[in-house]
Amino acid sequence: MKPISATGSFVDIQAAEQGPPDVRLAERELIVVEGESAWKSVVAIRDASHQAVLAMQGKPINAAKASQAAVARNPWAAQFHRILTGRSNGPCSFDQNPNHDAAPYHRIVLLFDPDADGIHCEALMLLLVWHLAADWVDQQRVWCVKAPAYEVQVQATGEVGYADHPLHLQAIQRAAEKQGAILRSRPYRGLASIPAAVLRARCVRPESRRQSCVTRDQIEAIRQTIGHRRPR
């Protein structure tokens, strides 16, 4: 896929019609997904009171290799920066040192397809986040969610489980064979193919999704692989 050259679909948090006008900042998060089909699936099952969703339209610009001017000119990077800082319009400026403590969200959540493209998109997004908002990483406000790649079912009992990648699936199958169990498995072809209840529980709902907090060391490892600048 080519770097994103257009803006993506975005739906913001919707305040409840009754009750408190807003949720606490600590609960507000911006979920970034790969494309339109994933965006529609996540929007359909998100908690609109505290979850905004932004779609990409391809792979993010490599902020570790591109010049600051090139990142600023990139329409999607500019859109992401405006959403992150709460600016409704205007150019993407990196000279103003924006106050991210005043941002409309407390967390950035990256949720991508469980495949090679998804892994690459996650890496590029982390470089972009570091370029735009490195302090969010230091404040533990950037998270990655691991979506399941396979559904696994025990034929005799109907019990259902999930595998993260092909090697994980093979390990589950070997363990089942030792116990004499027969498994059936099916791959998920992107977030849109994951059943809504599974997507909500394992990917979107903060209390139950499988997530990890991004660290400086993680970004440095990515930079060593696909970038060339040291994090500041």
Side-chain angles (χ1 to χ4, degrees):
M1 290 186 289
K2 296 180 179 180
I4 299 172
S5 59
T7 56
S9 295
F10 171 66
V11 61
D12 206 348
I13 292 167
Q14 298 174 358
E17 295 182 1
Q18 297 179 350
D22 207 351
V23 296
R24 293 184 300 112
L25 175 61
E27 299 176 1
R28 295 167 65 95
E29 56 188 28
L30 173 64
I31 301 175
V32 181
V33 298
E34 270 184 74
E36 290 298 310
S37 59
W39 181 82
K40 291 177 182 178
S41 296
V42 173
V43 167
I45 52 99
R46 68 171 178 145
D47 186 333
S49 70
H50 68 271
Q51 291 177 319
V53 188
L54 172 64
M56 301 190 307
Q57 300 296 334
K59 289 185 178 179
I61 187 170
N62 188 331
K65 289 184 176 181
S67 67
Q68 188 170 345
V71 175
R73 289 194 303 268
N74 183 273
W76 192 87
Q79 179 191 24
F80 175 66
H81 188 250
R82 287 193 298 268
I83 291 171
L84 196 61
T85 56
R87 297 170 181 167
S88 59
N89 50 46
C92 182
S93 173
F94 305 108
D95 300 326
Q96 300 175 3
N97 295 318
N99 178 13
H100 293 294
D101 290 333
Y105 311 102
H106 181 70
R107 282 186 300 274
I108 301 169
V109 178
L110 305 183
L111 172 57
F112 298 133
D113 293 345
D115 55 24
D117 276 341
I119 293 171
H120 193 199
C121 282
E122 179 180 288
L124 291 172
M125 267 303 303
L126 289 177
L127 293 177
L128 182 61
V129 168
W130 182 265
H131 186 83
L132 299 177
D135 53 331
W136 283 50
V137 176
D138 293 332
Q139 295 167 10
Q140 299 184 329
R141 295 169 65 180
V142 184
W143 293 76
C144 292
V145 173
K146 185 72 172 179
Y150 298 88
E151 179 184 282
V152 183
Q153 186 177 50
V154 180
Q155 186 169 310
T157 65
E159 182 182 358
V160 176
Y162 305 93
D164 296 335
H165 48 76
L167 292 178
H168 187 200
L169 176 62
Q170 292 173 16
I172 293 173
Q173 291 171 331
R174 286 195 297 269
E177 289 173 359
K178 290 181 180 180
Q179 298 177 5
I182 299 175
L183 300 182
R184 289 182 290 190
S185 64
R186 69 182 181 99
Y188 290 134
R189 305 297 184 186
L191 297 184
S193 71
I194 300 176
V198 177
L199 185 65
R200 180 185 295 109
R202 295 185 67 89
C203 301
V204 176
R205 189 169 179 263
E207 296 81 4
S208 58
R209 67 192 178 200
R210 300 177 64 246
Q211 60 186 348
S212 60
C213 186
V214 176
T215 67
R216 275 178 170 248
D217 288 344
Q218 183 179 352
I219 292 178
E220 173 63 11
I222 294 169
R223 189 203 64 81
Q224 292 288 349
T225 304
I226 60 176
H228 65 83
R229 292 183 191 166
R230 287 194 65 82
R232 58 182 181 276

